[in-house]
Amino acid sequence: MDMSLDLNVPSMALLVRKDLKLSSGKVAVQCSHAAVQCALKAKKSESRLFEKWINNGSRKICLEIEDLGALKLLMGKASGSGLITSLVKDAGHTEIPPGTITVLGIGPAPRTSIDLLIGDLKPY
């Protein structure tokens, strides 16, 4: 069975702000922060969902989002839907000022729930 087509398999979305023009290394690190934070939240509050996500390949998708306003709007929708979210704020040691919000992690959650929110976003 092709798990990539199973909409019941949990997924995680990592939304990167396009307006910041981050280096690829910075994006990788910021997405890693979001993924770890979301996974830890899920393990604590949604252990069965977390285990299903882990046991089915820990699917993640990285998408671009226009700017902070669009990111905050989507975070509100995700939180309002009861989905796990994590906002990454940079420490400011390298490319951007301290406290800059860079990435929003959503999930793990059923893929259909995430797709409803992110369906119009483009891959990063």
Side-chain angles (χ1 to χ4, degrees):
M1 181 174 168
D2 182 0
M3 289 297 177
S4 65
L5 299 177
D6 186 350
L7 298 179
N8 293 317
V9 172
S11 185
M12 183 184 292
L14 305 167
L15 312 180
V16 181
R17 283 181 55 191
K18 190 168 86 171
D19 62 316
L20 294 176
K21 299 182 180 11
L22 302 171
S23 69
S24 56
K26 188 69 165 177
V27 169
V29 170
Q30 299 298 295
C31 285
S32 297
H33 288 318
V36 168
Q37 290 170 9
C38 282
L40 289 172
K41 284 182 179 182
K43 186 174 183 183
K44 186 175 182 179
S45 66
E46 301 278 345
S47 60
R48 291 181 70 189
L49 178 68
F50 173 78
E51 289 299 324
K52 186 174 181 182
W53 178 68
I54 289 291
N55 293 331
N56 285 285
S58 309
R59 182 183 187 275
K60 291 170 271 323
I61 185 168
C62 186
L63 303 162
E64 62 182 37
I65 193 153
E66 278 304 310
D67 54 27
L68 182 59
L71 186 138
K72 285 186 171 182
L73 183 66
L74 208 51
M75 181 171 174
K77 289 179 181 179
S79 296
S81 297
L83 301 179
I84 292 166
T85 61
S86 181
L87 209 53
V88 177
K89 293 180 183 178
D90 191 65
H93 299 303
T94 55
E95 299 179 18
I96 50 180
T100 302
I101 295 170
T102 57
V103 174
L104 170 63
I106 302 173
R111 185 171 171 186
T112 50
S113 299
I114 290 181
D115 285 352
L116 286 173
L117 293 173
I118 60 152
D120 59 337
L121 299 179
K122 295 178 183 171
Y124 185 84

